[in-house]
């Protein structure tokens, strides 16, 4: 029985240590906002043209 309690305590301790390690993680790199586009694409065109001279990527995604 004593061995079982030690194993349970060790498992709980490892889980606590893992939770602390994960909670200290931060998202790496800058966050770039996504544009929510409607039928009018003028906002996308303006944002694209505003970064002239920089590397730009335009992704068109579809749920299907």
């Amino acid at each position: 029985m004593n061995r079982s309690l030690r194993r349970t305590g060790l498992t709980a301790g490892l889980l606590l240590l893992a939770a602390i390690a994960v909670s200290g993680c931060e998202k790496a790199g800058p966050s770039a906002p996504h544009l929510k586009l409607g039928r009018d694409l003028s906002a996308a065109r303006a944002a694209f043209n505003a970064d002239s001279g920089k590397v730009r990527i335009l992704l068109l995604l579809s749920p299907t």
Side-chain angles (χ1 to χ4, degrees):
M1 186 77 178
N2 195 13
R3 185 181 219 179
S4 175
L5 286 175
R6 273 192 262 163
R7 180 177 282 173
T8 303
L10 179 62
T11 303
L14 288 175
L15 287 174
L16 179 62
L17 183 62
I20 290 170
V22 170
S23 68
C25 295
E26 291 185 23
K27 187 169 83 169
S31 175
H34 296 85
L35 291 176
K36 185 173 182 179
L37 301 174
R39 295 190 184 274
D40 182 21
L41 298 178
S42 63
R45 180 178 288 130
F48 190 83
N49 290 335
D51 288 332
S52 178
K54 297 180 183 177
V55 175
R56 301 169 287 186
I57 298 174
L58 182 63
L59 298 173
L60 300 174
L61 305 174
S62 174
T64 58

